[in-house]
Amino acid sequence: QKEVEQDPGPLSVPEGAIVSLNCTYSNSAFQYFMWYRQYSRKGPELLMYTYSSGNKEDGRFTAQVDKSSKYISLFIRDSQPSDSATYLCAMTHTGANSKLTFGKGITLSVRP
Amino acid sequence: DAEITQSPRHKITETGRQVTLACHQTWNHNNMFWYRQDLGHGLRLIHYSYGVQDTNKGEVSDGYSVSRSNTEDLPLTLESAASSQTSVYFCASSESGSGEETQYFGPGTRLLVL
């Protein structure tokens, strides 16, 4: 079993839809959880960052972590065509000098 | 503004040639990383460094090497390029011991090995 599993997609939604992106993981030592957004032919950029369990909201984006289920989600409200990108989840054990383990990414397309 | 740059952005080479991909960051970060990104595999760590003269192997290090002679640069060398090394390569950096693993990524280098 891979340490981090992410739905492969692709995912296509109409503009204005609520989008739910998910990852599961197997390593209970993971404590830091991130979502990166990657536009076509660009490098990944950090979108959301969460420590341990709980929710974090930033504008139209909400990151949710359920450590008991080893499950993380990214919700996008009122999706826009500009949200069309590949979304990668990433996680790590500790904060200092630790390596990230990435999901494979899911490509989202928001149709106008 | 601080940034991380990679060069070249595109490279075509032949099997067996030595290739070096450059990565330069002006964040003054101690940590630097090299990844490759392939369809079906996502981002995989090749090598990483936590400071000058420090280098470590990642998940897919065979056929690659790095050296760290200063804080700003971590060049990635393909000793003898193989077709299996056709990929998109990303360099990243992060602040040491920040407690927040925000890795900043470069724009990537697309490498084609013929």
Side-chain angles (χ1 to χ4, degrees), chain A residues 27-66:
Chain A
N27 191 335
S28 58
F30 286 143
Q31 298 182 61
Y32 296 82
F33 304 91
M34 289 132 255
W35 286 94
Y36 280 81
R37 178 175 62 194
Q38 184 178 20
Y39 290 115
S40 181
R41 294 183 175 268
K42 302 287 187 183
E45 57 177 341
L46 183 68
L47 186 61
M48 298 285 286
Y49 167 90
T50 309
Y51 170 69
S52 194
S53 286
N55 293 359
K56 186 172 184 179
E57 189 172 321
D58 184 2
R60 296 184 294 108
F61 298 89
T62 299
Q64 192 172 80
V65 175
D66 182 348

Side-chain angles (χ1 to χ4, degrees), chain B residues 5 7-8 25 34 43-44 46 56 63-64 71 75-76 94 99 107 111:
Chain B
T5 57
S7 63
Q25 53 98 2
W34 272 106
L43 280 165
R44 292 183 290 175
I46 304 172
N56 306 279
Y64 303 94
T71 300
L76 176 71
S94 69
L111 177 67

